[in-house]
Amino acid sequence: MFGPFLTLLGLDDPSKTQPRPTPPTAATKTAEEQSQESDLKRKQIQQLSAYLNSPKVRGGGGARKRLVESVRQVSEVVIWSDRRNPELLSVCIEMGLHQHMLTLLQSRGKQQRWSPSDNAVTVQVLQTFSIILDSVSDTKFLYALLSNNFVNQLIAAPVDMDNEEVVSYYVAFLKALSLKLTADTIHFFCNERMDDFPLYTTAISLFDHPDSMVRVAVRAITLNVFRINDPQALDFVLHSPKCASFWEQIVCALKDSYDDAFRILVDMLPSRQHGSSAVATSQIDRARMSAAQGWAAIDQ
């Protein structure tokens, strides 16, 4: 019944069935095709730069959907350039895509209140920078991204810290930055003029955040800082007044944990009517008093 129809389609004989062609990859494309694709990406970079740098967008306006999509495309074109045509990475820097995204954050921070649209753009900008930091391997591009105090301006950009989603993306961004800390890059993160280490001081300000995931990320960031073992950074961390409150919080947290451990031990003991338990409890009480005196000396 379907014989003639199958014959027309070339499906009556399995030998006539042609496999579906696979899309060409960078390795299979001709030099001309690769050049055309690079030209398209170059135009895309220029278009993204023109839109993100338009007066309306720089002033805090712009349609939310288009803004979010444009920022998302920045990560795509940067990663494509890193893997297919690294020369376009310099075009991204020259066109100021990173600067335009920083301006997006700064312009929205000038608003009297954070709107859902502002937070959506903020989340996308933070996510885009995190993706770029995690995915791009070109050292020159990363150095250009971190230099000229740009990274510290980005860390200091205002975000809605009362919004849980924004905070989670912001901390993830800080953690991605901390993974780029090396002996060769740490000078990008130190603001000598302001005598500040913004990545570290911003992270420790969230040390006691109610969200456990944020606290875990903060600990990872601080450990990444100590991992570098840079004398200048360690001197700031250990002796700067800006870090003093962090160490006080550490001491208080240890003190609370110490007290909690004593309470658990006391609760686990049998009734005090038995002589042995009474002696043990008395010893624990004396130890607690001694520890309390020690903590008081530290607090002073």
Side-chain angles (χ1 to χ4, degrees), residues 253-269 284 288:
L254 290 173
K255 178 180 177 181
D256 292 340
S257 299
Y258 201 56
D259 289 342
D260 290 341
F262 275 121
R263 294 190 188 96
I264 293 173
L265 286 174
V266 171
D267 292 340
M268 291 175 62
L269 288 172
I284 291 176
R288 290 186 65 187

Side-chain angles (χ1 to χ4, degrees), residues 32 99 140 154 157 171 176 182 204 247 251 266:
E32 183 179 357
Q99 291 286 354
K140 291 182 179 179
L154 193 57
V171 173
T182 65
I204 63 176
W247 296 113
V251 170
V266 171

Side-chain angles (χ1 to χ4, degrees), residues 98-117:
H98 59 307
Q99 291 286 354
H100 301 335
M101 290 193 293
L102 171 61
T103 302
L104 278 179
L105 293 181
Q106 293 173 335
S107 62
R108 271 142 187 79
K110 296 177 182 178
Q111 309 291 340
Q112 293 184 351
R113 64 174 63 183
W114 296 96
S115 68
S117 178

Side-chain angles (χ1 to χ4, degrees), residues 62-214:
R64 167 182 171 178
K65 186 175 181 180
R66 184 180 177 185
L67 262 177
V68 171
E69 176 61 20
S70 296
V71 174
R72 187 193 65 79
Q73 288 181 19
V74 170
S75 62
E76 286 187 352
V77 73
V78 168
I79 294 173
W80 185 94
S81 301
D82 179 60
R83 297 176 181 175
R84 300 288 185 86
N85 188 355
E87 292 181 359
L88 288 180
L89 291 174
S90 61
V91 178
C92 294
I93 295 295
E94 291 171 3
M95 298 301 296
L97 290 181
H98 59 307
Q99 291 286 354
H100 301 335
M101 290 193 293
L102 171 61
T103 302
L104 278 179
L105 293 181
Q106 293 173 335
S107 62
R108 271 142 187 79
K110 296 177 182 178
Q111 309 291 340
Q112 293 184 351
R113 64 174 63 183
W114 296 96
S115 68
S117 178
D118 293 332
N119 286 333
V121 173
T122 298
V123 164
Q124 187 59 59
V125 170
L126 294 172
Q127 186 180 36
T128 294
F129 275 116
S130 297
I131 292 173
I132 290 174
L133 290 168
D134 289 338
S135 305
V136 174
S137 59
D138 189 275
T139 304
K140 291 182 179 179
F141 175 79
L142 290 174
Y143 279 21
L145 195 64
L146 299 175
S147 62
N148 297 321
N149 203 40
F150 174 79
V151 64
N152 293 326
Q153 295 180 51
L154 193 57
I155 294 171
V159 296
D160 185 4
M161 298 303 290
D162 294 326
N163 185 289
E164 293 182 1
E165 183 182 17
V166 172
V167 172
S168 63
Y169 277 98
Y170 182 66
V171 173
F173 161 68
L174 295 179
K175 185 178 179 181
L177 275 177
S178 71
L179 294 174
K180 297 302 176 183
L181 281 170
T182 65
D184 296 325
T185 63
I186 194 165
H187 66 279
F188 292 128
F189 295 85
C190 296
N191 190 335
E192 296 181 1
R193 184 174 61 85
M194 301 294 293
D195 187 26
D196 195 8
F197 189 177
L199 175 63
Y200 185 80
T201 54
T202 302
I204 63 176
S205 68
L206 300 170
F207 169 76
D208 58 349
H209 194 276
D211 189 334
S212 61
M213 296 300 293
V214 173

Side-chain angles (χ1 to χ4, degrees), residues 3 6-17:
L6 294 176
T7 301
L8 288 174
L9 295 178
L11 299 177
D12 57 327
D13 185 353
S15 63
K16 297 180 182 180
T17 304

Side-chain angles (χ1 to χ4, degrees), residues 225-272:
V225 171
F226 281 103
R227 172 178 55 85
I228 303 305
N229 199 26
D230 179 79
Q232 182 181 0
L234 291 179
D235 181 68
F236 176 87
V237 167
L238 296 175
H239 302 109
S240 173
K242 296 180 180 180
C243 301
S245 61
F246 172 66
W247 296 113
E248 292 174 1
Q249 289 176 319
I250 291 289
V251 170
C252 291
L254 290 173
K255 178 180 177 181
D256 292 340
S257 299
Y258 201 56
D259 289 342
D260 290 341
F262 275 121
R263 294 190 188 96
I264 293 173
L265 286 174
V266 171
D267 292 340
M268 291 175 62
L269 288 172
S271 173
R272 293 195 178 198

